[in-house]
Amino acid sequence: MDNAKYWPSMHNALGKGNKAIFEDIYPATAYRARHGYEDLKKCYAATGKELKPRLREALDALERGDSRGSADIIGDYEQKKIINDVYKEYSKTFRIGESVGSSELYKWWEGHKAHEIPVSYECGGSDVVNFPGSISDAEDRVDYYNLLMDKLESKEGW
């Protein structure tokens, strides 16, 4: 099977997912970073907007100094609520990406899937965090995010 024809679809899926994240999470978090959380809440109230509950929960955790907890909530929200529809829309593309075990969907390091990430300070580092499941499953993506964060915590000594 010639899987090269699916790369444009994968590119579109990733672009659509990133756009959805930036449209949903970025405005509130960027405003909070510039003006503070209290001002963000006042601004939203003045304009009749409401922060989405999970985003509010994440920002509350960040205000308490719980950076990891905040990031975990945002990661969960991002994968399950914001981009899950993209994975559904492009399910055939992701299924093909998972099913092919040959060169074009493997990165340059031997035997690792294209969506597995090395945690390293060096270009081409070999400390790859293996993806435990299906990239199409939101729970598996959140589990993988947690594995990545655990590895970063371990490396950084957080």
Side-chain angles (χ1 to χ4, degrees):
M1 173 190 297
D2 177 18
N3 293 300
K5 67 183 179 179
Y6 293 102
W7 282 114
S9 182
M10 182 65 74
H11 181 267
N12 291 340
L14 295 173
K16 195 169 192 175
N18 284 335
K19 182 178 183 219
I21 291 166
F22 279 100
E23 287 177 347
D24 191 286
I25 294 173
Y26 181 75
T29 56
Y31 189 98
R32 181 219 167 259
R34 288 190 183 112
H35 306 287
Y37 189 37
E38 289 306 313
D39 196 67
L40 171 69
K41 290 189 285 188
K42 288 177 190 173
C43 178
Y44 267 64
T47 59
K49 292 181 181 180
E50 271 191 54
L51 279 171
K52 293 180 180 169
R54 293 291 283 168
L55 190 51
R56 185 179 56 248
E57 186 182 344
L59 294 175
D60 286 344
L62 192 56
E63 282 299 299
R64 292 189 308 271
D66 183 7
S67 299
R68 170 70 193 260
S70 177
D72 288 351
I73 294 164
I74 287 176
D76 184 84
Y77 171 67
E78 168 189 296
Q79 293 300 318
K80 293 178 181 175
K81 300 297 180 196
I82 298 173
I83 64 169
N84 208 43
D85 288 342
V86 173
Y87 279 90
K88 289 177 185 174
E89 180 181 348
Y90 290 89
S91 62
K92 182 178 178 182
T93 299
F94 287 105
R95 272 195 314 275
I96 289 168
E98 287 181 315
S99 67
V100 174
S102 63
S103 61
E104 70 217 66
L105 287 177
Y106 275 56
K107 288 204 178 238
W108 49 268
W109 62 87
E110 184 63 30
H112 290 286
K113 298 173 189 167
H115 52 270
E116 292 182 333
I117 301 170
V119 179
S120 176
Y121 291 107
E122 302 168 6
C123 181
S126 61
D127 197 1
V128 176
V129 177
N130 294 317
F131 194 96
S134 170
I135 192 74
S136 298
D137 185 283
E139 290 291 338
D140 289 348
R141 293 191 310 270
V142 171
D143 289 346
Y144 185 58
Y145 158 83
N146 285 311
L147 290 172
L148 286 168
M149 290 299 289
D150 291 346
K151 176 66 82 168
L152 283 170
E153 281 185 337
S154 169
K155 276 192 171 297
E156 294 295 323
W158 296 340

